[in-house]
Structures are given as C-alpha cells and as structure tokens.
Amino acid sequence: MNGQVMTRDEFKAELDRLLRAHFPAVHISTYEEERVLEVVKDLAGDLTCSIFGWSASHGVFEIDHHDHGVIDSKLAMADLAAALETFEQMLQSKQAEKKGLIFVLLDPTTYLTDRNANPIYARKLRDLIHRIRSENRVATCLIVTPGSAMPKELERDITLLDFPLPTREEIRIHVDRLFAHLALSPAIAVTEGERLKERFTEAAVGLTLSEIRNAVSYAVVDDLRIDDRDVRHVFLQKRQIVRKSGLLDFIENLDLSLDDIGGLDRLKAWMKRRRLAFSEDGRAFGVQAPKGVLVTGVPGCGKSWSAKCVAAAWKLPLLKLDMGRIYSSLVGSSEEHIRQVLQVAEAVAPCVLWLDEIEKGLPRPGAHIGDSGVSLRVLGTFLTWMQEKQSSVFVFATANQIDLLPPEILRKGRFDEIFFVDLPNEEERREILSIHIRRAGRDPQAIDLDRLVELSGPAVHGPDVALTGAELAAWINEAMINAYHRRVEQGEKAPDVGLPDFEESAHGTVPLARLRAEEISALRRWAQGHALRASAPG
C-alpha cells in the first residue's frame, strides 16, 4: 500500500526470483486469478516446471503452460487435506526429479482461516512446506486468493506478494482493444478520438480488466453507442468497490461545481490549480499528485459542502469516511479497518477521500487513555500512508475542533495546505444567499439582497456576529415554508416568497457565532499562525 506501486512486469520478475530461489510458499493476494495464472504459466515455461492446481470446485488438476485452460482433471479431490497429501506424493515422483513443480492453491483461506476450520488443513500445508525445504526440492506452493489472512502458525513460512492492478498503460491498451472490437459492429456507434480513450483510461485506473470490460459493455447496451457520457459508468463500477467495503460511502454530486461554493475565493483558486496535477499533461510535466488539504474553522461555514463541490468539479469519485466506523471492540479490527479503507481508496483512485470531522477518529495523545493504544496505531497507519502514498487519492479532511488533532498530522508533508474558514463577510453572504435562492427555484434579483445581507449580519445580531452558510440555507428554507403555508391557506393569488418572509424569521434566529463566541475567537487566534484564510480579506 505504501511506496511505489509494483507493475505486472515487476511482479513477474519478483515471482521469478522467488521460484528460482526455491521459496517453499508464496501467498499472492489478488482478485485477478486469470492474470496471475498467465504469469505463472509463462514462468513455468521458462523454468521447465510442471504446474498443478487445486480448487474446492475442481480438486487437483494439471495446468498446461502452453494453454490457458485445464487439460487434465483426473485427480478430482476437492478436499484440501487430500490435495496437499497428493502434492507431497508428487514430490517423490520421478517427474519431480526431472522438472520443478509449482503447486497453485486457489482460494484455500476458508479451510485455513475460518474460525471453525479443521486444524489439520494448516498442519498439512505446513508439512508440505517443511518437506520442500528439508528435502531441498525444486518446488513452490502458491496460494492465490484475495486478502492476506493466514493462520498464525504459517506466518513465518509464507512470503506475501501482492499482484498489482493494471497500470495506466495496460488499461490504455485494453481500452484501445475494446473500442476497436466495438467499432467492428455496424450496430454500435463509437465516438473516435484519443481524448475519449484518455478519459476512459483515467477513470478506469484502479479497476481490474474484467471490471473495465463490464463497465464498457454496460455503457454500450443502454443506447448502442459509446461517447463522453459513458465515462460515468466506469465510476459506477468503482462505486461497487466502495459499497462492498462497508466502511465508505460513495457520494454522487454530478450537478455541483466550484461555483456552488459561496465565497472562499482563496480555497477555490487553490483547488483549481491542483486539479491540473491530475491530468496526463501535468504528470508528463513532472507535477506530483497533490496529497490533500485540511479545512478547519467555524462549523456550518462550508467545509463539507466544499468537499462535495471539489470532487464534482474535478469529476472524481467522492468517498466519505465517517471516522466512527473505523473503531471496533474486536482486537485488531480497528487497525484492519483503516488499512482496508486506504486500500479501497487506492483501488478507486483517482478519487477524493473525504474525512469528515477527522479529529473524532485521530485525536491527540491525551485522548488515547483507555483504548489500549488502538487510536495511536490507527493514527500511525494513516500518517505513514499520507507521507508515502503514490496513488492519486486526494484527502479532503475537515475539522471543527483543531485543538484535538495531534501535532504530527498538521506538519508539512501530511497535507499540502491547511485552510481556515471563518464566518462569511458581506460579499460572501450575498453570494451564498444568491446560490441557495437560485437552488430554491427563485430569482435572487427579485429579492432585496442588500436587506438580506443586513439582516444576516452584525447590524441585527451584534458585533462580530453573522449567520453561517448553513444558517443562511436554513433561513431561506424557513422563508420558503412560510410562503408555501401562505399559498396553501390563501390559494394561488397569495404572493410568492419575499422580503417579509425573511424578516419574519430573522429576529428569531440565535446565531452559532453568538452561542460559541469564545470557541470561534480561539479558532481565529490559532489560525493566525497555522493556516491560510480560505477567504480574501474584506
């Protein structure tokens, strides 16, 4: 997960070294069983090895490295213990003396790691490994399955190896072939152009080749054509990955943009520049993908809304993590959850990972008492990943109580920048009001915006007090409710929502800035030396 991502050729070279070094057991973590077997067959041909596989559905079978299929299924023993015993017998055969042997176990983890699994399976596998090692046999047992769970007694005997997802170059070749195949059908209209292929390639990073093929096929059957609009089907395929994790939410914001953020001009300008780093031209120029941003400040002033708008403007999937989902009462589960979240995010990349109220899941050291150090280990895993990640996962973290965060997470190298969001000034309140009035289906010019700005600021609520963006949205909704109630009572002739509806509810609002004045003052003092203002002065 950390460091440079391995390519297929690098994986092949590493597995080749392990086979030549006669490592007795290698665990290959992957969902792409077919691609792994292709690599194993190629290596077996170079090393003049025989390959025997096992699965619960087929038992033991011989795999021909000249063919991508099974050529012999005569040893149909579905039981893993019997299969391992058969492999041990093969080590004593004349064939083993002439050629090397590769044993491939497909999805054996149910037999090995299930809570009620018979311990004989792990013991039998360990016996096979020890026999290969003690008798100096030219043989290796490959365990091919998703995940990396292994019985504790086998941990020191098995070498872990992750099979990489397709690289951008491999995906581009695959997309070219899919488009060429579709173009052969007179019934399917294929939009030609390198730009469309590049968009499909960029969107498909993180998917397996079969998932890419499924997404393209799904896009075609809808209208028998493939064009720019079908890129979203690739993102829908990524949504499946997120939903299966159970720890992340996939947020769709197709109709939003940076223009839907009221104010916060400096933050928006910063985001517009960072978007260029995700492009192919940006990578070719030498620009590294941005790590992320931490946005703190007054609650209700647009932090969460900005995360949604940024992902939509960048046309990237938005994954939301509620930090409360990470922690579990089971020993080791919390650490496994954070690793799983980061792995899913990297699989879906390029994407935006939204950590809402990050301080609740990664508190400073004083808040770790009583959790046996779990939160410290979760924090360590996250910080290491942020420091070393190479994938295009942009972390958008929001925090209301910045003082609860550990200082390690605030230093440079974790996030690219830290922004502070304050109460909206007059111009920002005008912009926010216009956006929400427009989203309510009304013309902002038909309402006295100057008066609304006045009603929502210090003139009504007191010095240094103004309504937050969330309070402005709620205020507009309250005015709409008043207008609708009047329409129900008086009929179609009743006047539409107007200034009186806003004035009616303005004086009954108790702003957050008044209730939490001391906290907001403390936030402002902290921001003076630690963060950039998200809004321009004035």
Side-chain angles (χ1 to χ4, degrees), residues 343-359:
Q343 288 168 354
V344 170
E346 290 191 336
V348 176
C351 66
V352 176
L353 177 61
W354 172 21
L355 306 183
D356 197 24
E357 298 188 28
I358 188 175
E359 72 273 21

Side-chain angles (χ1 to χ4, degrees), residues 6-17 35 39 163-164 167 170:
M6 183 183 288
T7 66
R8 180 183 182 277
D9 289 341
E10 290 169 341
F11 169 86
K12 184 176 181 180
E14 178 65 17
L15 182 58
D16 182 46
R17 285 192 289 270
R35 293 181 68 218
V39 172
F163 185 71
T167 62
E170 290 175 316

Side-chain angles (χ1 to χ4, degrees), residues 477-510:
N477 188 57
E478 183 67 25
M480 293 293 295
I481 291 174
N482 292 341
Y484 180 68
H485 182 260
R486 182 171 59 249
R487 178 67 58 88
V488 170
E489 287 192 337
Q490 300 178 17
E492 295 296 326
K493 294 182 179 181
D496 196 15
V497 62
L499 189 59
D501 298 302
F502 288 93
E503 291 176 329
E504 181 180 339
S505 55
H507 297 282
T509 301
V510 180

Side-chain angles (χ1 to χ4, degrees), residues 376-389:
L376 278 174
R377 292 193 292 273
V378 169
L379 172 64
T381 299
F382 178 75
L383 292 180
T384 301
W385 176 77
M386 281 291 290
Q387 185 71 32
E388 300 182 2
K389 75 182 178 74

Side-chain angles (χ1 to χ4, degrees), residues 267-309:
L267 175 62
K268 289 191 289 188
W270 191 88
M271 289 296 178
K272 287 178 181 178
R273 288 194 298 271
R274 291 309 180 280
R275 174 64 184 103
L276 301 175
F278 286 101
S279 65
E280 187 67 34
D281 290 340
R283 284 191 295 271
F285 188 77
V287 177
Q288 293 184 351
K291 292 179 179 292
V293 66
L294 173 60
V295 183
T296 186
V298 182
C301 286
K303 299 186 294 294
S304 298
W305 181 250
S306 296
K308 297 178 181 180
C309 293

